[in-house]
Amino acid sequence: MVLVVYLAAINLLAFVMYGIDKRKAIKGARRIPEKTLILLAVLGGAIGAFIGMHVFHHKTKKPKFFITVPIFAVLYIALIVFCLYKNILF
């Protein structure tokens, strides 16, 4: 159950951070470092980051993002499916 809460929280955080960074980019304000956005994806927020990239049309043309984030999203989806199959999450 802890894993479910963690994944939900990190994905929500990643989604929100991509939205905040997009808003800051539009306003010309100080941005969230790219390494922070990638780190959120690596630490479990790849699905939220991927959705945020597409909802906010942000970082979709940078190879560092359009390659890395989907790879980690697929890995985390596979982990979730595996955990559901092995009945680990509940």
Side-chain angles (χ1 to χ4, degrees):
M1 189 61 172
V2 172
L3 182 59
V4 173
V5 172
Y6 171 77
L7 287 175
I10 193 80
N11 279 286
L12 179 61
L13 177 63
F15 178 80
V16 169
M17 294 293 276
Y18 275 72
I20 290 170
D21 192 52
K22 177 64 175 196
R23 180 177 291 166
K24 287 182 174 199
I26 291 169
K27 292 184 177 187
R30 185 174 170 157
R31 308 276 300 279
I32 297 168
E34 287 186 348
K35 64 183 175 182
T36 301
L37 296 174
I38 292 289
L39 184 63
L40 284 168
V42 170
L43 294 177
I47 297 166
F50 182 78
I51 294 168
M53 285 173 61
H54 292 282
V55 167
F56 302 115
H57 305 286
H58 191 50
K59 303 289 187 187
T60 57
K61 295 184 180 181
K62 290 198 165 211
K64 183 190 309 185
F65 287 87
F66 76 72
I67 294 170
T68 306
V69 172
I71 288 171
F72 277 97
V74 169
L75 289 173
Y76 280 109
I77 289 169
L79 174 66
I80 291 166
V81 169
F82 174 78
C83 288
L84 287 170
Y85 178 73
K86 293 291 186 176
N87 213 11
I88 296 171
L89 293 178
F90 302 102

